[in-house]
Amino acid sequence: MYSIFSLLWTSSPALSIPAIYYQIESFYLILAFVYYIDSLPKLKQVLKWIVLIYILTISIGFWESMTGDHLKYSAGNILTYGDMRPTGLLVNTNDYSSYLAFYIPVLLLCLFYKKNNI
């Protein structure tokens, strides 16, 4: 609700509306996750998929950092930054760094937990 209310003082509503949409979508995904994941095997399967996608995204970011090439809809490609800031599968570097920070606990959990548990 606060995000929607913040539209009153934002300098760019055109940029704020997609951000609010993604925030609402993320809350929906969390609720769907809580509703449908009702057993430990399902949770393990979802965590493995999350880690696989996370490693893929890190690989893309590493490739972008090394080559300077970006994916089609990356801000580095659209705005022609002229540098090698990675964006992974996301649009800009801030989203990419937030994504990396948000999912690092899941990666660490899967890496350092005993093999027979996860």
Side-chain angles (χ1 to χ4, degrees):
M1 293 303 285
Y2 178 77
S3 298
I4 294 170
F5 185 65
S6 70
L7 285 172
L8 294 174
W9 61 79
T10 186
S11 61
S12 178
L15 291 175
S16 298
I17 290 174
I20 292 171
Y21 167 74
Y22 292 133
Q23 188 176 31
I24 291 169
E25 191 174 272
S26 68
F27 285 128
Y28 170 74
L29 288 174
I30 290 170
L31 291 174
F33 185 83
V34 169
Y35 181 77
Y36 287 110
I37 305 300
D38 57 357
S39 67
L40 193 58
K42 285 183 183 179
L43 177 63
K44 288 178 184 180
Q45 183 181 12
V46 168
L47 289 177
K48 286 178 184 177
W49 278 105
I50 288 173
V51 168
L52 180 68
I53 293 168
Y54 187 79
I55 291 170
L56 173 71
T57 307
I58 289 175
S59 302
I60 292 170
F62 183 71
W63 170 75
E64 287 177 320
S65 294
M66 299 306 283
T67 64
D69 295 332
H70 297 282
L71 298 177
K72 183 176 181 179
Y73 293 107
S74 168
N77 210 11
I78 295 170
L79 301 176
T80 60
Y81 286 146
D83 63 6
M84 299 181 171
R85 292 186 279 179
T87 57
L89 296 171
L90 301 166
V91 174
N92 67 40
T93 56
N94 292 337
D95 293 340
Y96 183 61
S97 61
S98 297
Y99 167 78
L100 292 179
F102 186 76
Y103 284 103
I104 194 76
V106 176
L107 176 69
L108 294 175
L109 174 72
C110 289
L111 285 177
F112 295 114
Y113 211 65
K114 293 179 182 178
K115 282 282 190 195
N116 58 358
N117 288 338
I118 285 191

